[in-house]
Amino acid sequence: MLFATAKSQTSPGQEFLPGDRLAVLLPLPLAGAYDYRVGADQRLAPGDFVRVPLAGRQAIGVVWGPSCGEIAAEKCRAVVERLPLPPLPAPSRQLIDWVAAYTLAPPGAVLKMAMSVPAALEGPPRQASAYITGMPPAGLKMTPARQRVLAAAGQPLAAAELARRAGVGVAVVKGLVDAGALLRVPAPGPAPVASPDWRQPGPVLSDGQAEAAAALRRRVGDGFSVSLLEGVTGSGKTEVYFEAIAEALAADRQVLVLLPEIALSAQWLDRFRQRFGAPPVEWHSELGAAARRDGWRAVGEGRAQVVVGARSALFLPFPALGLIVVDEEHDASFKQEEGVVYHGRDMAVVRARLGAIPIVLASATPSLETQANVVAGRYHHLHLPNRHGGAQLPTVELIDLRRYPPSRQSWLSPRLVEAVTATLAAGEQSLLFLNRRGYAPLTLCRRCGYRLQCPHCTAWLVDHRLGVGSARLQCHHCGYLSPRPSVCPACQEQDSFAACGPGVERLAEELTARFPEARIAVMASDTLTSPRAARELVGRMTDRDIDLLVGTQVVAKGHHFPLLTLVGVVDADLGLAGGDLRAAERTFQLLSQVAGRAGRAAHPGQVLLQTYQPEDRVMVALAAGDAERFYAAEAEDRRAAGMPPFGKLAALIVSGPDAEAVDRVAAQLARLAPHDPQIEVWGPAPAALSLLRGQHRRRLLLKTARRVSVQSVLRHWLAQIRPPNSVRIQIDVDPYSFV
Ligand code: ADP
Ligand code: ZN
């Protein structure tokens, strides 16, 4: 019955008639496609959403193609019904097959991401009724309950909703309907989706911008292509890709824009609305249930023209997608690390190819992967070398903390304090950047040195004093919370715990002490409780209600603060520690992006980087503004080591609650490892997070030459081993996380 490798059939016009066998893919993590029989009076086609019987209940799945099983049609169970929904389009189905094959995830688990909104599939009940207050008939017996219902029914509402709002039982509503005091009307559909208007004029583009925009416009409607739109922060990349969006809209095609940290990108949404006169449809995890249902349906029915979303938006059922934009394409948050482990940017390129449409990758600091594709001639390259309107890039200066250390219990060197003082005096704004949430990353006992650790993870508990839940010690990996203990569990000393090292909250404390008259705000993912809070804070910043902004990486992304002229990076070396494959690249990208917040308008900007390693390649490149040299050296190292993008990696993470069982499976994997001159296997080794959420973890790393199919190596390898149920082997093709 089970065919794990069923491929969605896409021959156009294919139809299944009563009695035919077909394969239906169900959104279940363990399943390939199952065989069913087309019921009497049904006509089905690939992509149709269907309700089918499954182990004593019913489930919704998608017609995937003809069955390839052996079971006679009579023995298969019949499809219950076709749902009244547009079919899942062919490129979406092909994407699901592709992602499953590439990541080695079960196709059903990938389909689950495309069917993440069950309410959208079920839809409103057909011929739903609503009720509205009519003229009360003479002699109607009035009660307080009835009065409340009539008062609430000023707009059409379903009976259950009306009863809920009036605080009465449904029988009261029914009684009023029978008495003729409530009128039955059709239920209103979802709110209409506003149409972005491509006819609205954009800004007058500079020559360089106009050239890039024209190139992108030409590629819309001209089949598959990938364009890297590279330009320093503030060069107008957004304005340029807006032109491509206008072109796609004019051709009546849908557009998908992927952004990192979408929920926080209020400024992007404002700009879009200004340019096109209507908001895009948003798609991210912060959306409420109704917005998700309406959004999913609006996309599937083609009513949503522009969707801006997080990586999961890739799996929305676009029937007429004509353009994809991935902004900040280098951003690590496009990689999904849980469940189906995939890279949103890479899969977006696959989606574009399957749909024969163009994709634009925008970044000031493109990933080495994308740059290698440009060099190989696979991607087009468009370059905007200058900031718009003559704004200058900020000057970057390194502060050598070995020579100019901060004073005791301070995190700011004298040079940085002096610069903040001068900026305040000039009436301009400063950003102090520290990519570490909370008050302090470590809490230890002053008497015996005992460190407070998460009971479920290999991680210190982080001291938090602001934000959600206020004062607490928190594990950043599993969310474990604990109050600060008053007695050390190791030496029983009273009140002996001391905070070690700075987080943004502690930095804000130092700034408050040093600059008592300054208006200071902290911006970190846990101090921003909602998209609205983020929008408010950004608004206060642009309105000059804040003098000193202290922030983590959430401030680095996309914001445009015209009066921000000083950026101080408190610990520029932070991302270099740990030394994973991309540590240098990521640090360079993040710090370039942070630096890019300075001096974006008329006032020139200044960036100060506090570092203990001023001779490190990353610091030298940032100070010299020489991205090219940095990337060239970085690429050369990777090439010499056969590392991505010049070789391939896949990680195998073995985990389970029982350390010994995990070790046994890891050792067995190592014994069965493939032998081939083009393949290296490292490990098993305890993961850096050797305990995560109570699971013991071991890692193996597979490294191969580019021409090797990592997937077939892995499939062959894993086929030889049957781990016990308590042990899980997670596969991460193209890993970005090495903990
Ligand atoms: P990037 O995306 O490359 O960081 P943006 O598109 O955000 O750059 O542009 C930076 C700022 O300059 C924005 O405020 C934008 O509105 C403005 N800008 C860019 N190009 C133009 C233009 N041609 N005319 C007017 N304003 C522009
Ligand atoms: Zn934990």
Side-chain angles (χ1 to χ4, degrees), residues 11 22 66 124 171 228 232 248 269 306 333 347 362 380 420 485 553 578 581 592 603 622-623 632 659 718:
S11 45
L22 41 61
L228 167 62
V232 295
L269 294 171
V306 179
S333 70
M347 296 308 126
H380 301 282
V420 173
Q553 59 181 344
L581 170 67
S592 300
H603 307 262
L622 287 166
L718 293 168

Side-chain angles (χ1 to χ4, degrees), residues 203-205 209 232-239 271 388 560 600:
V204 179
L205 299 180
Q209 290 174 337
V232 295
T233 50
S235 57
K237 296 184 291 298
T238 314
E239 301 293 347
R271 280 179 69 180
H388 176 71
H560 183 62
R600 284 171 65 95

Side-chain angles (χ1 to χ4, degrees), residues 28 48 65 127 137 208 226 230 276 317 345 359 417 454 497 547 554 598 646:
L28 302 172
D48 281 345
Q127 262 93 54
V226 188
E230 180 180 2
F276 294 107
R345 175 201 60 219
I359 178 168
V417 173
C454 175
F497 280 109
D547 301 308
V554 296
F646 307 100

Side-chain angles (χ1 to χ4, degrees), residues 454-457 459 461 475-480 692-693:
C454 175
H456 314 297
C457 305
L461 291 176
C475 171
H476 280 188
H477 297 285
C478 72
Y480 171 84
L692 176 63
R693 296 186 200 100

Side-chain angles (χ1 to χ4, degrees), residues 112-477:
K112 194 160 192 284
M113 301 194 292
M115 292 173 57
S116 60
V117 197
L121 302 171
E122 299 284 358
R126 260 162 289 175
Q127 262 93 54
S129 304
Y131 300 90
I132 189 163
T133 307
M135 185 64 95
L140 180 72
K141 189 168 145 272
M142 264 302 175
T143 61
R146 284 187 157 186
Q147 254 163 1
R148 286 205 302 278
V149 172
L150 292 178
Q155 56 180 345
L157 290 172
E161 175 65 14
L162 189 49
R164 194 186 66 77
R165 292 200 189 186
V168 303
V170 179
V172 181
V173 176
K174 292 258 159 66
L176 284 169
V177 175
D178 292 342
L182 284 177
L183 305 178
R184 185 197 299 267
V185 294
V193 181
S195 294
D197 180 4
W198 54 270
R199 289 184 182 83
Q200 289 199 25
V204 179
L205 299 180
S206 70
D207 288 352
Q209 290 174 337
E211 208 175 297
L216 291 183
R217 276 183 178 269
R218 277 197 303 277
R219 282 169 205 152
V220 173
D222 194 26
F224 170 62
S225 63
V226 188
S227 305
L228 167 62
L229 178 58
E230 180 180 2
V232 295
T233 50
S235 57
K237 296 184 291 298
T238 314
E239 301 293 347
V240 168
Y241 71 65
F242 276 177
E243 295 303 302
I245 293 176
E247 185 76 22
L249 291 176
D252 216 10
R253 302 291 294 266
Q254 292 172 297
V255 177
L256 169 62
V257 182
L258 297 182
L259 291 182
E261 311 277 348
I262 164 66
L264 304 172
S265 300
Q267 279 189 329
W268 192 96
L269 294 171
D270 290 345
R271 280 179 69 180
F272 184 90
R273 195 198 300 255
Q274 271 163 23
R275 174 68 177 79
F276 294 107
V281 169
E282 291 178 56
W283 189 259
H284 50 80
S285 56
E286 309 271 331
L287 290 183
R292 288 178 80 77
R293 186 191 60 221
D294 294 350
W296 195 91
R297 286 214 153 205
V299 171
E301 289 163 11
R303 290 179 287 118
Q305 289 167 299
V306 179
V307 176
V308 57
R311 56 184 185 238
S312 60
L314 259 184
F315 295 96
L316 287 170
F318 293 96
L321 193 58
L323 171 69
I324 303 176
V325 176
V326 182
D327 203 349
E328 313 286 10
E329 68 88 30
H330 62 276
D331 198 283
S333 70
F334 285 120
K335 180 74 191 280
Q336 171 152 310
E337 301 285 0
E338 311 254 298
V340 179
V341 180
Y342 70 97
H343 199 301
R345 175 201 60 219
D346 297 348
M347 296 308 126
V349 172
V350 172
R351 175 65 180 82
R353 187 160 51 73
L354 293 171
I357 57 171
I359 178 168
V360 179
L361 308 178
S363 176
T365 50
S367 63
L368 271 180
E369 278 74 8
T370 294
Q371 300 197 26
N373 279 315
V374 168
V375 171
R378 283 187 287 267
Y379 292 3
H380 301 282
H381 189 199
L382 301 167
H383 197 200
L384 304 173
N386 302 312
R387 278 193 162 177
H388 176 71
Q392 291 301 303
L393 279 172
T395 58
V396 179
E397 179 186 325
L398 302 180
I399 300 177
D400 185 345
L401 289 180
R402 293 168 310 188
R403 294 178 59 191
Y404 308 105
S407 53
R408 250 182 73 79
Q409 289 301 306
S410 159
W411 319 105
L412 306 174
S413 67
R415 173 79 188 93
L416 188 49
V417 173
E418 176 195 301
V420 173
T421 310
T423 306
L424 276 172
E428 294 170 357
Q429 296 170 308
S430 306
L431 164 65
L432 277 304
F433 178 79
L434 177 61
N435 202 14
R436 204 187 250 152
R437 291 188 286 132
Y439 184 84
L442 173 65
T443 302
L444 56 70
C445 172
R446 264 181 304 238
R447 179 150 175 264
C448 75
Y450 181 83
R451 300 165 169 212
L452 290 173
Q453 191 175 349
C454 175
H456 314 297
C457 305
T458 322
W460 311 127
L461 291 176
V462 179
D463 183 351
H464 282 261
R465 302 187 183 184
L466 299 175
V468 192
S470 309
R472 68 211 186 267
L473 296 169
Q474 187 179 17
C475 171
H476 280 188
H477 297 285

